[in-house]
Amino acid sequence: MEMSQPTKVTVQAVIQAPVEKVWRYWNEPEHITKWNQASEDWHAPKSENDLRVGGKFSTQMEAKDGSMGFDFGGVYDVVNLHEAIGYTMDDGRRVDIAFVDQGNETKVIETFDAESTQPVEFQQAGWQAIMDNFKAYTEQN
């Protein structure tokens, strides 16, 4: 049986902040809980992050009205300080994130394996919304 390669989807943003700050806000749980949601009716009440190769992370994501929620987690395969993160999600999909230092701004490029149950465009829009929240939070704080 031939395994089909997952569709790779990329989202990105240029953050008006140096790479050290972007890295910190992307990875520290007290910041993750402030930006990691795709819309205003969702939130991330809890996050844990062991940022090292073989380390695990988990962010609890919930609808604010309590109607649904899930844990988003995985294991790190790549951690290059201020440059790159790669991980395998709990469902086996891959995510790779590049942090491109551009002086007083940082380009963040995130590429993930799409899952098969939702349209790719829907997934890309959701991940881009989270990236846009990250950009806004990091630039405003």
Side-chain angles (χ1 to χ4, degrees):
M1 184 166 122
E2 191 175 320
M3 295 286 291
S4 63
Q5 290 294 326
T7 300
K8 300 275 186 194
V9 181
T10 299
V11 297
Q12 60 186 329
V14 175
I15 318 303
Q16 301 302 310
V19 71
E20 294 82 6
K21 178 181 179 183
V22 169
W23 182 268
R24 194 170 67 250
Y25 278 41
W26 187 271
N27 292 299
E28 292 178 359
E30 65 266 27
H31 295 297
I32 294 168
T33 58
K34 304 288 193 300
W35 60 262
N36 200 355
Q37 64 274 339
S39 64
E40 285 297 315
D41 51 346
W42 279 74
H43 66 149
K46 182 179 176 191
S47 181
E48 297 175 357
N49 194 14
D50 182 9
L51 185 63
R52 62 181 175 83
V53 173
K56 294 182 179 183
F57 69 92
S58 180
T59 300
Q60 184 180 347
M61 304 179 90
E62 293 182 350
K64 287 182 179 176
D65 66 6
S67 63
M68 59 177 31
F70 62 95
D71 289 336
F72 179 84
V75 177
Y76 291 108
D77 307 306
V78 175
V79 178
N80 295 329
L81 184 65
H82 299 158
E83 292 179 3
I85 294 172
Y87 61 84
T88 302
M89 287 186 265
D90 290 338
D91 66 6
R93 294 181 295 139
R94 285 276 315 151
V95 178
D96 292 292
I97 308 152
F99 297 82
V100 182
D101 184 349
Q102 299 177 330
N104 287 329
E105 61 184 30
T106 305
K107 187 174 193 177
V108 180
I109 306 163
E110 185 174 30
T111 302
F112 65 95
D113 291 345
E115 48 116 335
S116 58
T117 59
Q118 298 288 333
V120 170
E121 299 78 20
F122 178 79
Q123 294 175 67
Q124 183 169 22
W127 286 58
Q128 185 66 54
I130 293 170
M131 178 71 76
D132 294 345
N133 282 341
F134 172 74
K135 173 182 170 63
Y137 173 77
T138 302
E139 290 177 354
Q140 294 165 10
N141 291 282

